[in-house]
Amino acid sequence: MSYIREEQSKMLVKEAEKAKAEGRSLSKVFECVAEKTGRKKGSVRNEYYSILKKAEKNAEFRKMMCVGDLKTEKIIEFEKAEARSLVKKILIGATFGKSVRRAISELTGDPKTALRYQNKYRNMIKHKRREVEEILGEIEKTYGRAYDPYRGTSGDETLEKLKSEINGLYARISEHARKENERLKNSVRELKAENERLKNRLSEYAKTDKSVQNYFEKTFITTEKRGND
């Protein structure tokens, strides 16, 4: 491994550690590192998992790359009945005008699980056509119609356009809410850090300034009294 490649790999691991601590997705890490290094996101992702696999078997390599607590997650396979039920729920949602993405988002609020569902749905559509067509038959028997992923829905063009716009609006609102939630969480973290910093500074002043020390004691006693009341 060249020095430049080694440094890029260490940066990737460091960013992944940071993302894990902050609860961010690895996908964003791969995008960020790809942008910084001029590589493809998929290439960065493959290297990341390659590093973790090697680190699991080689303690010296693990130490050199500063892998820490990072580890590959065990792939949870779908049971046949579970996969069939999942695809049926998504297709029912699509039958009633929802996009596949929206149908999946209503099944789970977890991004990782949503991606897992999406991949399984696509895999079933691509490789299990006979089984999917059986599911479509069940949906049509129950509801009188069914969304056909192999042909798309048919019907009034205006209605289809409206459905598409509604689904697009839903996706934009969801994304906006996610970003706003992330912004608020960051603000809370910053405020907590600033509060801690100010407390530490006041504590230092209290050691040399009697008036500050009296203020602290008075505040503590008042707060304690309120708590007891």
Side-chain angles (χ1 to χ4, degrees):
M1 182 184 291
S2 68
Y3 174 77
I4 294 177
R5 191 58 175 267
E6 182 180 328
E7 290 302 303
Q8 289 181 357
S9 298
K10 286 181 178 179
M11 176 180 67
L12 171 58
V13 171
K14 184 178 180 180
E15 289 296 324
E17 285 273 18
K18 186 178 178 182
K20 180 182 177 182
E22 296 175 354
R24 293 186 287 112
S25 69
L26 282 173
S27 180
K28 294 296 182 183
V29 173
F30 300 150
E31 286 180 9
C32 178
V33 174
E35 186 176 338
K36 288 180 179 179
T37 59
R39 296 165 59 191
K40 297 288 186 181
K41 178 182 175 181
S43 172
V44 174
R45 181 182 61 246
N46 291 341
E47 180 179 354
Y48 173 75
Y49 287 111
S50 176
I51 290 171
L52 294 193
K53 286 180 181 178
K54 186 174 180 179
E56 288 175 358
K57 301 175 182 178
N58 189 323
E60 185 177 343
F61 177 78
R62 186 181 192 88
K63 184 178 180 180
M64 180 185 77
M65 299 303 297
C66 304
V67 171
D69 296 330
L70 292 175
K71 58 183 179 180
T72 55
E73 295 182 2
K74 184 179 179 181
I75 298 175
I76 304 173
E77 297 291 343
F78 276 92
E79 295 290 338
K80 185 176 180 179
E82 182 189 6
R84 187 184 180 92
S85 174
L86 170 67
V87 172
K88 187 172 184 178
K89 288 175 181 177
I90 295 172
L91 289 174
I92 289 174
T95 296
F96 288 93
K98 298 175 184 177
S99 66
V100 170
R101 179 184 293 180
R102 179 177 174 183
I104 291 174
S105 71
E106 291 180 353
L107 294 175
T108 178
D110 177 52
K112 288 184 179 179
T113 304
L115 180 60
R116 179 171 175 256
Y117 285 178
Q118 179 178 289
N119 289 339
K120 188 59 183 179
Y121 171 79
R122 289 177 175 174
N123 183 271
M124 287 279 287
I125 298 300
K126 185 175 181 179
H127 301 291
K128 304 283 185 180
R129 179 160 184 160
R130 180 177 294 181
E131 189 171 350
V132 171
E133 288 177 342
E134 288 177 2
I135 295 171
L136 292 174
E138 294 172 6
I139 295 173
E140 190 168 1
K141 185 177 180 180
T142 303
Y143 300 102
R145 58 195 174 95
Y147 169 81
D148 188 342
Y150 301 107
R151 292 185 299 176
T153 53
S154 59
D156 185 74
E157 186 176 342
T158 303
L159 177 60
E160 293 305 316
K161 184 178 180 181
L162 179 60
K163 288 179 180 178
S164 177
E165 290 175 352
I166 291 173
N167 285 324
L169 177 61
Y170 178 87
R172 289 195 296 274
I173 291 173
S174 297
E175 180 64 14
H176 176 75
R178 185 190 67 77
K179 289 182 177 179
E180 181 64 15
N181 185 50
E182 188 65 30
R183 186 187 68 79
L184 290 173
K185 286 196 293 185
N186 289 335
S187 296
V188 169
R189 280 196 293 266
E190 290 173 2
L191 288 171
K192 285 183 177 179
E194 179 65 12
N195 184 51
E196 191 64 29
R197 186 182 67 81
L198 291 173
K199 282 170 61 180
N200 290 336
R201 288 188 64 183
L202 285 172
S203 180
E204 288 297 319
Y205 288 141
K207 293 177 182 178
T208 56
D209 192 320
K210 193 68 176 177
S211 62
V212 176
Q213 185 177 2
N214 291 337
Y215 170 78
F216 262 90
E217 291 175 353
K218 183 179 179 181
T219 303
F220 176 77
I221 293 171
T222 303
T223 304
E224 187 180 53
K225 185 178 179 182
R226 286 177 180 172
N228 292 332
D229 292 342

